[in-house]
């Protein structure tokens, strides 16, 4: 009885703590919203004196555009806002925060991968591009998809500021030729993203039409028959320049360094912008991509997790494994500037994907004779992504203090229809004891998908913030979000009723930040935010509970050489509960279809660390992007006592250093017969895979480039990757699969033209 009373008292105390915490969160959110809404209603127009002050402020800050339209539509009129055509690695304003803030006005870590760096390094895929971003780890899945993490957590996507529940992790991506830049915020982004892990967000900012004609293109060829080409044409479609357009086409046709693998994909992107008035712009967007990619599930390891020292060109499994993932997207935007710094923006997107996968994978330890048992898998995953975002933002003045207000709401959904089936060596003896390199498995062995599920995931929310200029050098940011989330499913093969698996209403996510420009070139900041993330992962017993957590971050940001060089030093600490960790000791037998990866809830985890980043131009012609990140993620509480105190994120190095630098041997006005050189490296400490027995030590990979600009419109470059031919694993899995060697030494020659 005493034990029962003690347990009851403990439970009551926990409920009281949760209730108090939730009330506090609601209070912070409502207080921050109330800070500006009555003022906004009462102050619809500025006085002449205030308008004059605003005009003076805009003149003084003329290098920061005052609207998203100016940022991404007018293009080269604001060379410091968009990155395409600037020839620079640095951008002085980002759009993922809606307010078009400078990097040193954001109390979190934000990195921008510019169009120029993507061009210099010949980056054509999202995977390769994100590998250059500080603190980001990219883990490949062998079919053109990958998983992206930062600070020990997965990243979530935004597309021109519209959040998406899915579409980044283990999903096909469009060719980066359609993007102007990638904006990456590390750390929770719950105010705009909604329910999401605290790893951060990747905002894919697409190219926009220009008001003058411009054409550019490139053709690349390199090792292992790697061919890539893209063409980009933009300009006015009417004499008045009220209608502008842009068309981008890109294609890839390549083999891989490992045998039997091939990838072919084509991408098309079109954007038409209609400037209805000087203050109103409507944009219509369409894009599509088709691919046919060999599905390679990776190499095995020894039964004790050690390296089998296979040849790097080894391919394990049947060579007929394929992934086909056509996807199409339609989108639109409406933006209006009201005057006085106020503007509104409505965005929407609709994406369809149709993934079919037929492949084999190893599911037993490899014998000394290099033989093993196989599984044949057949999967179908159809996704329909819909998203919308509406917000209003602008300044008001209260007691001579300027307040930048933002209020909005967004909605996104992922309607997934999926099914899967496997045929195992346990039930089909013809799949047992086969040569792992040349298994005699017929492509006609394709298990029928007899069960399909329809799984709608919906989330929406309202958000708001007030950036209060307490002093000329001190800004307080208060904001938050109320989120609504629902996931349910039904067996459409048997036409069963929907089952609501998770539902959360009015979950508050408060956000606080303080920015202090204590000297002209240096800024100190601190921020606090909550995180809320429903999980799609399954354990053997069912779907995992949502993750709850908090992050505190602080640091210094500096800008030098007339804001051409940005430097950030940051420290952070994240604590989460119910975090999903891949169970590498289990076969992919979880989920309703019985083919999904198995996960487990780790209880309570902590991620903390430090980041240093320098990006921009050191001297005329000398660009650099360098970063060092330290991440210590550890399990604080777990049902398995032996795991407490251990790191919880696989393929996440504690120390990670990235460098790329490029130098052009002539001033910008010289455009004939100019040489350039570039070089970089990635160095990381040891990691473990999805099974903790699979490990590798630290390694360093170096790259180099040489370029020659023959004429203003013609540039030739040659990139050499992995100069020392380092042998390493770019991703570790378990003893059966998901172990991928990094690319051996290779080269790529590129011809680029701009007209």
């Amino acid at each position: 009885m005493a034990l029962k009373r003690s347990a009851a008292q403990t439970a009551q105390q926990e409920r009281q703590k949760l209730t108090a915490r939730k009330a506090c969160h609601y209070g912070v959110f409502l207080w921050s919203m109330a800070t500006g809404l009555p003022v906004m209603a009462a102050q619809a127009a500025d006085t002449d004196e205030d308008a004059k002050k605003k005009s003076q402020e805009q003149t003084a800050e003329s290098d920061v555009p005052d609207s998203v339209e100016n940022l991404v539509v007018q293009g080269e009129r604001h060379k410091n806002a968009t990155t395409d055509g600037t020839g620079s690695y640095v951008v002085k304003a980002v759009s993922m925060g809606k307010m078009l803030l400078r990097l040193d006005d954001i109390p979190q870590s934000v990195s921008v991968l510019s169009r120029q760096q993507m061009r210099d390094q010949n980056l054509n895929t999202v995977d390769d591009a994100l590998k250059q971003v500080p603190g980001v780890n990219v883990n490949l899945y062998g079919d053109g998809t990958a998983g992206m993490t930062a600070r020990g957590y997965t990243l979530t996507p935004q597309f021109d500021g519209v959040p998406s529940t899915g579409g980044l992790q283990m999903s096909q991506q469009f060719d980066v030729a359609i993007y102007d830049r990638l904006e990456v915020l590390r750390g929770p982004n719950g105010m705009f993203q909604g329910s999401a892990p605290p790893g951060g967000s990747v905002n894919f900012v697409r190219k926009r039409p220009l008001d003058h004609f411009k054409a550019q293109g490139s053709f690349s060829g390199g090792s292992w028959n790697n061919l890539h080409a893209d063409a980009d044409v933009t300009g006015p479609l009417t004499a008045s320049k009220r209608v502008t357009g842009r068309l981008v086409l890109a294609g890839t046709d390549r083999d891989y360094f490992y045998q039997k693998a091939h990838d072919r994909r084509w991408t098309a992107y079109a954007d038409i912008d209609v400037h209805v008035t000087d203050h109103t712009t409507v944009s219509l967007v369409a894009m599509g991509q088709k691919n046919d990619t060999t599905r390679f599930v990776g190499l095995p390891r020894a039964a004790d997790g050690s390296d089998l020292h296979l040849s790097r060109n080894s391919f394990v499994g049947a060579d007929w494994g394929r992934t086909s993932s056509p996807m199409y997207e339609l989108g639109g935007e409406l933006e209006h500037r009201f005057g006085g710094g106020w503007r509104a923006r409505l965005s929407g997107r609709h994406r369809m994907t149709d993934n079919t996968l037929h492949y084999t994978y190893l599911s037993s330890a490899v014998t000394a004779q290099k033989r093993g048992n196989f599984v044949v898998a057949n999967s179908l995953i159809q996704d329909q992504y819909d998203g919308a975002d509406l917000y209003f933002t602008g300044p008001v003045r209260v007691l001579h203090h300027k307040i930048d207000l933002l209020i909005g709401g967004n909605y996104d959904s992922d309607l997934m229809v999926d099914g899967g089936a496997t045929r195992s060596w346990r039930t089909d003896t013809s799949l047992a004891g086969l040569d792992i390199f040349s298994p005699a498995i017929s492509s006609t062995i394709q298990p029928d998908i007899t069960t399909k599920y329809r799984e709608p995931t919906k989330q929406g929310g309202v958000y708001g913030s007030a950036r209060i200029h307490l002093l000329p050098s001190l800004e307080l940011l208060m904001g938050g979000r109320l989120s609504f989330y629902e996931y349910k499913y039904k067996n459409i093969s048997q036409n069963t009723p929907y089952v609501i698996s998770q539902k959360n209403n009015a979950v508050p996510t408060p956000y606080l930040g303080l920015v202090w420009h204590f000297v002209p070139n240096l800024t100190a900041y601190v921020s606090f935010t909550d995180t809320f993330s429903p999980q799609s992962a399954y354990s053997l017993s069912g779907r995992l509970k949502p993750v709850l957590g908090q992050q505190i971050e602080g640091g210094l940001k500096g800008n030098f050489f007339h804001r051409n060089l940005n430097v950030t030093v940051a420290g952070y600490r994240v604590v989460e509960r119910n975090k999903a960790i891949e169970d590498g000791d289990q076969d992919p037998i979880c989920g309703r279809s019985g083919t999904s990866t198995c996960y487990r809830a780790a209880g309570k985890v902590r991620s903390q660390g430090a980041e240093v980043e320098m990006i921009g131009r050191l001297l005329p012609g000398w660009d650099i992007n360098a970063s060092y990140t330290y991440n210590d993620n550890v399990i604080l509480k777990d049902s398995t006592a032996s795991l407490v105190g251990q790191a919880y994120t696989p393929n996440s190095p504690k120390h990670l250093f990235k460098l790329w630098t490029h130098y052009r041997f002539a001033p910008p006005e010289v455009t004939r017969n100019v040489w350039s050189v570039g070089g970089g490296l990635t160095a990381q400490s040891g990691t473990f895979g999805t099974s903790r027995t699979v490990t590798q030590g630290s390694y360093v990979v170096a790259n180099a480039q040489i370029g020659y600009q023959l004429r203003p419109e013609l540039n030739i470059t040659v990139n050499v990757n992995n100069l020392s031919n380092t042998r390493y694993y770019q991703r570790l899995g378990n003893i059966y699969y998901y172990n991928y060697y990094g690319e051996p030494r290779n080269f790529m020659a590129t011809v680029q033209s701009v007209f």
Side-chain angles (χ1 to χ4, degrees):
M1 294 295 292
L3 290 175
K4 290 183 179 180
R5 284 196 298 270
S6 177
Q9 291 171 355
T10 301
Q12 179 65 23
Q13 291 172 356
E14 289 298 321
R15 284 193 294 269
Q16 291 173 352
K17 288 180 181 179
L18 291 174
T19 303
R21 175 180 290 175
K22 195 167 185 179
C24 180
H25 290 176
Y26 275 113
V28 171
F29 175 79
L30 294 174
W31 189 92
S32 61
M33 294 285 287
T35 300
L37 293 180
V39 179
M40 182 175 66
Q43 204 164 334
D46 295 316
T47 63
D48 292 340
E49 181 179 356
D50 286 341
K52 184 176 180 180
K53 289 180 181 178
K54 285 187 174 64
S55 177
Q56 292 171 348
E57 290 172 356
Q58 288 183 359
T59 301
E61 300 291 331
S62 59
D63 57 344
V64 177
D66 60 355
S67 74
V68 171
E69 177 192 353
N70 286 340
L71 176 68
V72 293
V73 176
Q74 298 185 24
E76 294 184 348
R77 278 190 247 169
H78 292 279
K79 290 182 180 292
N80 61 340
T82 189
T83 69
D84 185 28
T86 65
S88 174
Y89 289 8
V90 71
V91 62
K92 296 180 181 177
V94 293
S95 57
M96 70 187 311
K98 317 290 185 183
M99 288 185 181
L100 302 183
L101 301 173
R102 296 185 189 276
L103 293 176
D104 54 6
D105 284 331
I106 302 173
Q108 281 186 265
S109 298
V110 178
S111 300
V112 179
L113 187 68
S114 68
R115 181 76 248 164
Q116 185 62 40
Q117 184 174 349
M118 288 188 267
R119 176 179 174 179
D120 285 346
Q121 292 191 257
N122 199 29
L123 306 175
N124 299 316
T125 68
V126 169
D127 301 345
D128 288 339
L130 288 177
K131 286 179 182 178
Q132 305 304 316
V133 176
V136 174
N137 303 295
V138 178
N139 302 311
L140 304 181
Y141 283 96
D143 62 350
T145 68
M148 292 79 171
T149 64
R151 298 184 176 180
Y153 304 97
T154 56
L155 292 167
T156 48
Q158 293 183 3
F159 300 94
D160 287 290
V162 181
S164 178
T165 299
L168 180 61
Q169 306 294 333
M170 298 185 66
S171 299
Q172 297 291 338
Q173 303 298 323
F174 287 110
D175 194 295
V176 297
I178 74 173
Y179 297 121
D180 174 79
R181 64 191 179 278
L182 305 184
E183 300 174 345
V184 181
L185 181 146
R186 293 182 300 281
N189 191 21
M191 187 162 64
F192 300 121
Q193 193 76 35
S195 60
S201 297
V202 181
N203 187 27
F204 295 86
V205 184
R206 56 191 168 81
K207 294 176 177 177
R208 301 296 294 266
L210 304 179
D211 60 0
H212 61 277
F213 175 79
K214 181 179 179 180
Q216 55 189 331
S218 70
F219 176 80
S220 302
S223 302
W224 313 300
N225 302 315
N226 187 356
L227 303 176
H228 179 273
D230 62 72
D232 179 358
V233 181
T234 184
L237 301 180
T238 61
S240 65
K241 299 185 179 181
R242 288 286 187 182
V243 182
T244 56
R246 192 157 197 163
L247 175 66
V248 179
L249 301 175
T252 295
D253 194 327
R254 62 169 298 183
D255 295 329
Y256 290 87
F257 67 91
Y258 45 86
Q259 302 173 10
K260 307 177 184 179
H262 187 77
D263 180 40
R264 181 182 292 112
R265 61 187 62 219
W266 304 97
T267 304
Y269 162 76
D271 183 354
I272 295 178
D273 289 356
V274 181
H275 303 273
V276 181
T277 69
D278 292 339
H279 302 284
T280 305
T281 301
V282 176
S283 301
L284 300 175
V285 181
M287 60 187 82
Q289 180 170 280
K290 287 189 175 183
N291 77 292
D292 183 12
T293 308
T294 300
R295 173 70 161 151
F296 175 43
V297 191
L299 300 175
R301 303 272 286 205
D304 62 356
S306 60
D307 191 357
L308 289 171
H309 301 289
L310 302 175
S311 172
R312 281 187 284 184
N313 69 348
S314 298
F315 185 98
V316 172
D319 59 1
W320 44 257
R322 287 289 183 273
T323 294
S324 178
S325 306
M327 58 181 178
Y328 308 94
E329 181 168 329
L330 297 174
E333 294 176 1
L334 170 64
E335 183 181 49
H336 180 74
R337 287 177 290 158
F338 297 98
W342 279 90
R343 58 184 172 85
R345 188 187 189 200
L346 173 64
S347 304
R349 57 184 293 269
H350 171 77
R351 176 182 291 190
M352 295 287 294
T353 67
D354 190 354
N355 304 288
T356 57
L357 301 88
H358 183 204
Y359 59 98
T360 64
Y361 63 88
L362 195 67
S363 67
S364 72
V366 178
T367 67
Q369 294 75 31
K370 299 296 188 293
R371 306 185 76 84
N373 305 327
F374 282 86
V375 172
V376 179
N378 184 23
S379 297
L380 169 67
I381 305 173
Q382 298 171 324
D383 280 288
Q384 176 181 307
Y385 300 103
D386 293 288
D389 183 78
L390 171 65
Y391 67 88
F392 298 84
T393 183
V396 297
R397 290 188 177 274
V398 178
L399 301 176
H400 305 292
H401 291 283
K402 180 184 177 184
I403 302 177
D404 297 314
L405 296 176
L406 170 70
I407 185 170
N410 50 38
Y411 167 85
D412 74 272
S413 70
D414 174 11
L415 175 58
M416 181 169 65
V417 176
D418 64 306
T422 60
R423 178 173 294 180
S424 169
W425 59 274
R426 294 181 175 90
T427 57
D428 188 336
T429 57
S430 68
L431 298 175
L434 302 179
D435 184 337
I436 65 171
F437 301 120
S438 300
I441 304 175
S442 172
S443 61
T444 60
I445 301 179
Q446 181 167 319
D448 295 330
I449 300 176
T450 58
T451 303
K452 290 184 181 180
Y453 288 88
R454 181 182 175 92
E455 305 177 60
T457 301
K458 301 177 181 179
Q459 73 166 321
V462 292
Y463 56 84
S465 70
R467 177 175 290 269
I468 307 169
H469 299 257
L470 301 175
L471 298 171
S473 61
L474 187 63
E475 300 170 358
L476 173 65
L477 177 61
M478 302 189 66
R481 176 187 179 90
L482 292 178
S483 296
F484 301 82
Y485 177 92
E486 182 182 82
Y487 163 77
K488 58 184 180 180
Y489 66 90
K490 68 178 297 184
N491 186 325
I492 58 177
S493 303
Q494 301 177 3
N495 196 28
T496 61
Y498 273 114
V499 176
I500 298 178
S501 179
Q502 292 187 32
K503 186 172 185 179
N504 303 92
N505 289 326
V507 179
T509 306
Y511 182 90
L512 292 171
L514 191 66
V515 177
W516 180 28
H517 305 281
F518 60 96
V519 295
N521 298 100
L522 290 175
T523 299
Y525 74 90
V526 65
S527 62
F528 170 84
T529 184
D530 266 12
T531 66
F532 161 71
S533 178
Q535 300 186 93
S536 60
Y538 283 89
S539 68
L540 290 172
S541 58
R543 195 161 182 173
L544 300 182
K545 296 179 180 180
V547 178
L548 303 174
Q550 300 84 31
Q551 175 184 275
I552 185 168
E553 178 179 332
L556 295 173
K557 295 187 180 184
N559 62 84
F560 308 96
F561 307 125
H562 305 288
R563 291 191 174 272
N564 285 318
L565 182 70
N566 290 321
V567 178
T568 301
V569 179
Y572 62 89
R573 180 183 175 92
V574 185
V575 177
E576 271 200 322
R577 301 181 299 280
N578 300 330
K579 172 66 181 171
I581 296 177
E582 187 171 340
D583 193 344
D585 296 326
Q586 294 289 343
D587 288 341
I589 56 174
C590 292
R592 291 176 307 281
S593 65
T595 60
S596 299
T597 301
C598 295
Y599 292 82
R600 58 194 303 275
K604 187 177 182 181
V605 297
R606 183 212 65 211
S607 174
Q608 63 185 13
E611 301 172 342
V612 180
E613 178 186 13
M614 178 172 61
I615 183 170
R617 179 157 293 176
L618 290 168
L619 294 172
W622 184 9
D623 296 302
I624 189 171
N625 187 349
S627 65
Y628 165 75
T629 56
Y630 168 79
N631 176 250
D632 177 30
N633 60 74
V634 65
I635 299 173
L636 300 178
K637 183 187 297 182
D638 192 273
S639 56
T640 303
S642 61
L643 293 177
V644 175
Q646 297 192 35
Y648 63 81
T649 305
N651 295 293
S652 180
K654 182 172 289 188
H655 303 276
L656 179 60
F657 177 77
K658 298 181 181 181
L659 168 69
W660 173 260
T661 184
H662 184 267
Y663 185 76
R664 189 175 185 273
F665 292 93
E669 60 270 15
V670 179
T671 56
R672 291 180 181 273
N673 303 319
V674 179
W675 288 92
S676 63
V677 294
L681 60 85
T682 298
Q684 70 170 57
S685 56
T687 55
F688 64 91
T690 54
S691 177
R692 291 180 180 274
T693 59
V694 177
T695 63
Q696 77 170 338
S698 59
Y699 64 84
V700 179
V701 177
N703 308 314
Q705 183 211 72
I706 186 169
Y708 183 68
Q709 186 173 7
L710 184 65
R711 299 194 301 270
E713 67 277 4
L714 183 61
N715 190 59
I716 302 171
T717 60
V718 177
N719 291 70
V720 182
N721 302 311
N722 197 354
L723 285 168
S724 62
N725 202 26
T726 300
R727 182 187 177 98
Y728 68 100
Y729 283 93
Q730 61 181 319
R731 193 241 168 133
L732 295 174
N734 55 41
I735 64 173
Y736 306 136
Y737 46 78
Y738 280 161
N739 301 287
Y740 298 95
Y741 279 121
E743 290 186 343
R745 184 189 299 116
N746 63 92
F747 78 93
M748 177 74 79
T750 304
V751 178
Q752 301 166 334
S753 297
V754 180
F755 300 95

